[in-house]
Amino acid sequence: MVYFIASIPLFFFILFLINYLRDPRKLINGLLFNSFLITFILFCIFFYIYIDGPYQYIVLVFPFFLLVVLIPFGVLALIAGLFYNAKVLRQKEGKRFRNSLTLIMAIGILTLIIINLVNPTQFFPEYLQPLFSGAGLVVFYVFLHMFNFLTAYGLNQWKRPKRNQDFIIVLGSGLINDRVPPLLASRIDKAIAFYNEQKKVVAPPKIIFSGGQGPDEGLPEAEAMQNYAVEKGIPIEDTIQENKSVNTYENMVFSKKIMDERNGEGAYRSIFATNNFHLFRAGMYARKAGLDSQGIGSKTAFYYWPNAMVREYIAVVVMGRRRHFMIVSCVMGFSLLLTLVAYFFT
């Protein structure tokens, strides 16, 4: 019995390793790793309850610390941190809606905790209970999906591409007054650093600057990025402009077309450079475009990171909107059906 229970977390860990080593850009990696973690905690609890011996109490330390200390205090620290981050971000970046996402998230989590403590179902007819249960399942699904996303994002950060690349794709992020702003400059600098490091051991890669011309821009973003890199010492013959794309997916698709034309379809190694908070979603777009490319991420100011991560998560949800809509619709539709049955037959 013990061996069977122990084999469950081992199974999830092996499955995670296989999927992660094949492709670290998948959301399922977060689900599999979290499944391993949860089943391991359950195994520790099982070991404590059913096994007598000198190690009985030692194995319970980890789940006890996680469930009793880390999670409750972690949630409180998260709420406080989100409120503080919202204050700092609005001071440094302005009072725009896009800079209020951490504030909205903090209010949302706090509201859910208060609702759970108050238990509003006691104020409504009993036949509405299925609707509240369905809403609770939807909230649980959202938090589970967010947890899996954060885990997959964190695991993806550990993947480091080798210095044997043929191409580096630098993803655009927009110009300011037709000049490369600091955010975009950090991406180019990251690509330049990788270029120089690889140049020490093998032939340097070609750098593809990917970004089209916006309606308020006097030149294509790719051209401004190329000029910036050349000024930093990159030979112009090692640079390529991709000046048609207007979003991350097109960055990948149009850059892939350039690489296929130069080296043959798939007959090359490539990576992309972006900000570290954007790495996971950009990797998902690269995979969608058919590119076997990992990312290198430039550092982001700490105060900016939480808000950027919320935006990234929302964007990932939008990418899978059809699947999420179907799941939420099925849960709430079934809950509504049970509510109608309870209303008419009880």
Side-chain angles (χ1 to χ4, degrees):
M1 183 65 174
V2 175
Y3 293 108
F4 173 75
I5 300 297
S7 67
I8 297 176
L10 181 62
F11 168 77
F12 280 116
F13 185 71
I14 293 174
L15 201 59
F16 157 72
L17 276 181
I18 293 172
N19 278 272
Y20 180 77
L21 293 175
R22 283 181 178 174
D23 194 338
R25 302 168 297 178
K26 294 182 178 180
L27 270 173
I28 195 173
N29 293 325
L31 174 63
L32 292 173
F33 185 83
N34 289 334
S35 297
F36 154 71
L37 191 62
I38 292 170
T39 53
F40 178 73
I41 292 172
L42 292 176
F43 168 72
C44 291
I45 295 173
F46 168 83
F47 192 91
Y48 169 76
I49 294 174
Y50 291 99
I51 305 299
D52 292 325
Y55 304 107
Q56 183 181 30
Y57 297 98
I58 296 176
V59 297
L60 198 64
V61 170
F62 176 69
F64 176 83
F65 179 75
L66 184 68
L67 297 175
V68 179
V69 179
L70 195 60
I71 292 179
F73 285 96
V75 171
L76 293 177
L78 174 64
I79 294 173
L82 288 173
F83 275 118
Y84 178 75
N85 175 258
K87 176 184 176 182
V88 173
L89 191 67
R90 287 163 68 88
Q91 288 175 345
K92 291 181 176 290
E93 301 290 334
K95 298 180 180 180
R96 293 179 291 178
F97 176 77
R98 61 183 295 179
N99 296 330
S100 303
L101 296 179
T102 48
L103 176 63
I104 295 171
M105 187 175 182
I107 293 173
I109 295 174
L110 189 60
T111 301
L112 287 175
I113 293 175
I114 293 173
I115 289 175
N116 187 62
L117 293 174
V118 173
N119 187 21
T121 57
Q122 62 182 314
F123 304 112
F124 293 90
E126 188 174 350
Y127 63 81
L128 291 177
Q129 183 62 40
L131 274 181
F132 286 105
S133 299
L137 282 175
V138 170
V139 171
F140 175 77
Y141 170 75
V142 170
F143 274 92
L144 180 63
H145 186 267
M146 184 183 298
F147 185 41
N148 291 337
F149 163 75
L150 291 173
T151 303
Y153 167 85
L155 292 168
N156 184 62
Q157 299 289 318
W158 289 93
K159 192 70 173 181
R160 293 290 184 267
K162 297 179 180 179
R163 292 186 174 87
N164 60 351
Q165 306 300 318
D166 299 304
F167 297 96
I168 304 176
I169 307 166
V170 183
L171 307 183
S173 62
L175 303 177
I176 296 179
N177 297 324
D178 293 339
R179 297 184 63 83
V180 172
L183 185 75
L184 181 55
S186 69
R187 300 182 179 188
I188 305 173
D189 290 338
K190 188 71 176 181
I192 292 174
F194 190 96
Y195 173 97
N196 289 327
E197 286 296 321
Q198 180 170 317
K199 188 178 180 180
K200 295 176 183 178
V201 289
V202 294
K206 303 295 183 183
I207 305 179
I208 301 176
F209 299 102
S210 182
Q213 184 171 348
D216 58 342
E217 295 172 344
L219 75 166
E221 188 177 3
E223 183 179 340
M225 295 161 69
Q226 183 187 51
N227 293 338
Y228 177 93
V230 171
E231 290 174 2
K232 290 282 186 173
I234 299 298
I236 194 167
E237 60 269 20
D238 284 344
T239 66
I240 304 168
Q241 286 190 37
E242 183 288 291
N243 53 22
K244 297 179 180 178
S245 58
V246 296
N247 54 48
T248 304
Y249 179 62
E250 290 187 358
N251 288 152
M252 300 300 184
V253 171
F254 296 153
S255 295
K256 181 179 186 300
K257 184 177 180 181
I258 291 173
M259 293 185 292
D260 287 344
E261 290 173 350
R262 282 176 168 257
N263 286 43
E265 186 171 354
Y268 50 82
R269 291 177 294 270
S270 65
I271 59 172
F272 59 87
T274 185
N275 294 91
N276 54 6
F277 65 82
H278 188 232
L279 273 179
F280 185 70
R281 182 163 63 96
M284 294 176 70
Y285 279 124
R287 181 169 172 268
K288 186 178 179 181
L291 278 174
D292 185 21
S293 299
Q294 303 299 327
I296 51 175
S298 60
K299 292 182 179 180
T300 305
F302 182 75
Y303 75 87
Y304 190 81
W305 183 86
N307 198 74
M309 284 302 300
V310 176
R311 282 165 43 201
E312 288 296 301
Y313 176 69
I314 293 172
V316 168
V317 170
V318 171
M319 288 176 68
R321 57 189 177 276
R322 292 183 180 178
R323 180 178 71 254
H324 300 311
F325 178 78
M326 288 296 298
I327 293 173
V328 172
S329 296
C330 288
V331 171
M332 294 310 299
F334 186 67
S335 301
L336 180 60
L337 179 62
L338 292 178
T339 299
L340 293 175
V341 170
Y343 178 76
F344 288 107
F345 296 100
T346 58

